[in-house]
Structure formats: structure tokens, C-alpha cells
Amino acid sequence: MANAAIYTRISLDAEGEALGVARQEQDCRDLAQRDGLNVVAVFSDNDIGASTRSRKKVRPQYADMLRRARAGEFGVIVSYSNSRLTRRPLELEELITLYEQHAVRIMTVVSGNDDLSTADGRMVARIKASVDAAEVERTAERVARKHLASAQEGKPVAGTRPFGWLSGGRELHPQESKLIREAATDIIGGVGAYAIARRWNEAGVTTSTGRPWQGHVLARMLKSPRLAGWRIHQGQIAIGRDGQPVRGQWEPMLDQATHDALVAALSAEDTRSRVPHKNARHYLLTGTLRCGVCGAVMYGNAAKYPTYGCSGNGHVVAASVAPVDDIVTRLTLAKLATVDLEAPKPEFPDADRLAEVEASIAQLMASFTARELSAEVVFPAVSALEAERDELRSQRRRIEAAGAAPELAKVDRAGWDRMSVDHRRAVIEGLLEAVLVRPATRRGNTFDAERLDFVWREIPTDPS
């Protein structure tokens, strides 16, 4: 009695119950019993595709089965059909080599048993593999066309519920939408995405799939044009048949101006140097306070008397947290009284050109759709215009990021006392480039304020 292994696979197990592979296994066991085979192993790749178009390219059980077949543990592989084994012509060649070198036969429940010992048998097997591969490609084309049509119509993406919307993705989720709007206000005011993610996690707020929030995941979600009502397709705002950006069939979370400011603030955060120390940003001045000897960031250290410190290259500079925070806070609030709160934000000078380029792209695409111009004429011109558009958009984003700053007009002593550490830090970083701490020159328990040098940002002041 020959030893055999059973291989089962299903591409999509929406229920997650592995019922499809269980049915395949039973049919394979029935076939093995009829042919007098002794089943010694079962290999199953559930919820994994077997084509070149599959997102999951590695099938661990399939690879283990081939390894054990080469080791001589069994001489027959039983599968429900050829397409359950593979939809990749290159993998079929691997199975042919497996037969030639180790005499491992392939048997299927519904696809027949190809004789891999003859040229005609191998030809039939290759034809079947080619047909399977072609069917996968046709399916992929149909799915891609369906997704494009849905995008052009502005339909919500099927699948995982987007955070902030109810099931179906059209109506706002009352609690989650409130959280997103509060987060947008905070980030535009200077609070970091990581701080908000930490706050949400502490409050028990999870993603729509039940996972804890991470700062980069939150930032990516907040940057999505979907929040402003735009339909996304393949990572970009979808373009309709008329050549215009597509509005989604759902209630927007934010107006366009707010979302633009949010993206600008998040882009500024992306370029900011990261503080690598764990819990370092719990201290008010981490990131702003710098060593007056070497210029390195000074970190807060939890101790009986918490201090900011820098040690290295033969020097030690330290400063007590409480008096330094107090001095910087008093000077920051005093500085606010001199800031020109009505100073205009920097403007993007090429807004008219960007609008002209976007209109030209839309006009060319509309002419192509109406068969007034050929693809040979339209797409080279569109490609050049899109490159210019993307560069102009990048310039606009950099200018907006530079202008993104906390709303200083709303800050006073009473408001400061109600702020979180993240909000206070955002105000300080909006006013101060750095605070340098010189080494101590005298002993004593009282901090010497003259050890601090302030590097203020260039912000217009009130001449009155």
C-alpha cells in the first residue's frame, strides 16, 4: 500500500471556519481509500491563493509538503483538483521535476490523473495549468474593472469598516467621528499623532478591527482624502470618466480647508526629528531643551528630583525639571503678549497655475472619453501635466506645513493650566527653536536662570 499525502487549499475563507478545505479533505480521503492509498499526512493552506496574482505569495504547507515528498515520506499527492495544487505554470514544472526525480505521482478528485511520465501527459498537464492561469488573469481583470467602476461612481470600498463611519461606510459613527474631529483640531494645534494614539488607547478606543492604535496608523488614517469626502482608488484620489476627481457617496468627516491644514500639520510632524528615548516626551521640554556644550537634546530622567540631563564626550550638563519648566513657561506666556496674532499664514504663490494644470488634465481626459482626441495625443500630454501638478502640490504642502502652528491667540495663563503636556509642548515649540542650557558654574539648590539661552522663532511681533 503506497503512502500518500493530501493537499487542500481555498483562496478565500470569509467565515474563517475552514469548511472548504475540510470538504476537500474528505473527498480526497474517499479517493485515497478507493485506490488503496495509505494517507500519512495532510497539508492545508486555508485562505491563501495559489496564483501569481495572489497577495500571499508563500504557501507554507505547500512548501513543507514538497520538502517531505523529496525526503521520501510519501509517493502520491492527492488533491481535489489541479487548480487546488497550483495555478502557476512554474510550480507545475516543479511538480513535473518532483515526479522525474522522486517518482511522486499526482492524483485529483475532479481533474483526472495526468501521466507525467509521458510527453503527451505532461503536455496535457501544462495545458490545464495554462488554462487555470488564464482564468485567474481574466478574473483579476474583471475584479479590477469592477473596482475602477465603483471608484468612478464614488461608491464606498467594500470590506473593513472605515473608522469614523458606520457599517457600509456612508453614515458617520457618532462617537468615532467626534474623536477624529477632536484629533484634527489637536494636531493642527501642534499635538502629535503618537500622543493622540496613546490617549485613545488609554481610553479604550480601538481601530475598527479591534486593534490598539499606533501613531503612524493614526496619522495615515487622518491624512486620507476620504475624510474630506474624496474617493480613493489605488492610493490616489479617483478620477471619473469626465476627468474630474470623484466625490464619495458618503458624508465627509472634515471640510477641505480643515483637512488640508491637518495634512500640512502631519507632514510637518513627519519631518520632525524623533526622540528615541522611551517615555521621553512625557517631559515638557524634551525636544526643545538642548545641551549648551554639545547641542544634543536633553532628556528628562525620573528620579527623586527629576532632571533634564546630557552626558557624553567628557561633560555632564543637568538642570532640575521643575524650575526650568517654570522659567520657560513664564517667558513663553510673556512672549505671547508680543506676538502678532493676526500675522498672515504663508501663501502658495502658484495656486493659479495649479488650478490651470488640473483643468487642462480634466479637459484632455474629457476629450479622450468623448473620442475627440486619441490616446497617442492625450496621454503623453497628461503625463507631463501630472508631473507638474504633483510637483506643485508638493510645493503647496511644504508651504502649508511651514505655516501650520498652534492657535496662539487662544493661549493664556488660565488656558495653559487646563492644557495637557502635549498642548503646552506644542505652544512652546511654536515659539521656540531651542533653549540652550549652560553648565552650572556655582553650587546651590536654586537654579540659575542665566544658564538658559533662548532661541526664539521668527514670528511677527505687535509693535504696540
Side-chain angles (χ1 to χ4, degrees):
M1 180 180 291
N3 288 339
I6 291 175
Y7 179 77
T8 65
R9 181 191 62 79
I10 192 169
S11 299
L12 178 63
D13 182 12
E15 294 81 15
E17 297 177 354
L19 298 178
V21 291
R23 289 189 290 266
Q24 290 178 35
E25 181 181 339
Q26 186 57 56
D27 290 341
C28 290
R29 285 190 179 277
D30 292 343
L31 175 61
Q33 185 177 14
R34 289 195 300 270
D35 281 62
L37 300 175
N38 178 36
V39 176
V40 297
V42 176
F43 302 89
S44 181
D45 286 310
N46 189 45
D47 203 23
I48 299 178
S51 76
T52 55
R53 302 302 178 95
S54 302
R55 286 182 297 176
K56 298 178 182 178
K57 301 298 184 184
V58 177
R59 291 185 286 158
Q61 287 283 292
Y62 180 83
D64 190 39
M65 177 185 68
L66 295 185
R67 179 185 62 79
R68 292 172 63 177
R70 295 186 187 104
E73 293 187 26
F74 43 83
V76 182
I77 295 174
V78 183
S79 187
Y80 183 77
S81 68
N82 286 345
S83 62
R84 294 304 90 196
L85 266 176
T86 183
R87 291 180 181 270
R88 304 174 185 175
L90 285 177
E91 285 186 348
L92 173 65
E93 296 302 321
E94 191 174 30
L95 293 174
I96 291 174
T97 301
L98 184 67
Y99 173 79
E100 292 174 340
Q101 295 181 354
H102 302 280
V104 177
R105 295 184 292 120
I106 308 297
M107 296 179 61
T108 71
V109 175
V110 298
S111 298
N113 304 324
D114 299 320
D115 185 359
L116 300 182
S117 67
T118 68
D120 285 347
R122 292 190 292 273
M123 177 190 70
V124 171
R126 288 174 174 131
I127 290 172
K128 289 179 180 179
S130 178
V131 170
D132 284 337
E135 178 57 31
V136 169
E137 292 182 357
R138 283 193 292 269
T139 300
E141 289 174 355
R142 289 195 298 268
V143 170
R145 185 67 188 86
K146 178 183 177 181
H147 288 169
L148 176 59
S150 295
Q152 291 175 334
E153 294 170 12
K155 294 180 179 179
V157 177
T160 304
R161 177 182 70 84
F163 185 84
W165 281 267
L166 296 171
S167 180
R170 295 178 185 270
E171 299 177 354
L172 293 178
H173 189 291
Q175 291 78 32
E176 293 177 357
S177 60
K178 181 181 178 182
L179 286 170
I180 289 177
R181 286 167 174 156
E182 290 174 348
T185 300
D186 287 345
I187 287 175
I188 292 171
V191 179
Y194 286 81
I196 293 174
R198 183 174 63 248
R199 186 173 74 200
W200 283 10
N201 289 332
E202 291 171 352
V205 178
T206 65
T207 68
S208 60
T209 58
R211 294 183 174 89
W213 284 97
Q214 299 181 51
H216 70 277
V217 173
L218 177 64
R220 184 171 65 244
M221 183 268 288
L222 293 175
K223 284 182 177 181
S224 172
R226 188 186 206 283
L227 270 65
W230 298 106
R231 178 57 157 87
I232 306 301
H233 181 61
Q234 296 182 343
Q236 302 290 332
I237 294 178
I239 302 299
R241 297 182 181 88
D242 59 357
Q244 297 294 327
V246 177
R247 300 294 298 183
Q249 296 179 11
W250 57 80
E251 184 178 355
M253 182 76 63
L254 305 171
D255 61 70
Q256 190 63 55
T258 300
H259 191 254
D260 287 345
L262 175 61
V263 171
L266 287 168
S267 299
E269 181 179 272
D270 289 343
T271 60
R272 193 182 303 156
S273 62
R274 296 294 181 194
V275 178
H277 287 47
K278 181 180 179 181
N279 297 327
R281 295 290 277 182
H282 287 179
Y283 292 88
L284 178 64
L285 298 178
T286 303
T288 301
L289 211 64
R290 293 186 175 271
C291 174
V293 175
C294 66
V297 172
M298 296 180 68
Y299 298 98
N301 299 294
K304 184 177 180 180
Y305 301 106
T307 60
Y308 294 107
C310 173
S311 60
N313 298 322
H315 69 271
V316 175
V317 176
S320 297
V321 167
V324 172
D325 284 359
D326 181 64
I327 292 169
V328 174
T329 296
R330 286 190 285 106
L331 289 179
T332 296
L333 292 172
K335 186 72 172 181
L336 287 174
T338 69
V339 172
D340 181 4
L341 301 176
E342 303 300 324
K345 298 286 188 180
E347 295 184 356
F348 175 51
D350 295 318
D352 291 342
R353 176 56 185 165
L354 177 57
E356 180 183 332
V357 169
E358 291 173 337
S360 297
I361 292 172
Q363 184 177 2
L364 284 167
M365 292 304 300
S367 296
F368 173 73
T369 303
R371 300 183 184 278
E372 296 171 355
L373 293 174
S374 67
E376 290 79 6
V377 172
V378 169
F379 287 101
V382 167
S383 179
L385 286 169
E386 285 179 337
E388 183 180 0
R389 178 202 62 191
D390 292 345
E391 175 58 28
L392 288 170
R393 286 178 175 175
S394 178
Q395 292 176 13
R396 182 180 65 183
R397 181 157 294 164
R398 287 195 295 270
I399 291 173
E400 289 173 342
E407 290 292 333
L408 302 179
K410 300 179 181 178
V411 179
D412 56 20
R413 181 76 233 195
W416 182 271
D417 291 339
R418 293 192 299 269
M419 285 181 180
S420 67
V421 173
D422 296 310
H423 271 99
R424 293 174 183 174
R425 188 185 301 112
V427 173
I428 289 173
E429 291 178 352
L431 292 173
L432 278 162
E433 187 73 38
V435 178
L436 300 176
V437 183
R438 298 180 182 277
T441 57
R442 63 189 185 197
R443 296 180 178 275
N445 296 325
T446 302
F447 181 79
D448 181 5
E450 293 184 357
R451 290 178 56 196
L452 301 180
D453 286 336
F454 292 80
V455 183
W456 298 97
R457 296 186 186 276
E458 294 184 6
I459 299 175
T461 57
D462 187 348
S464 61

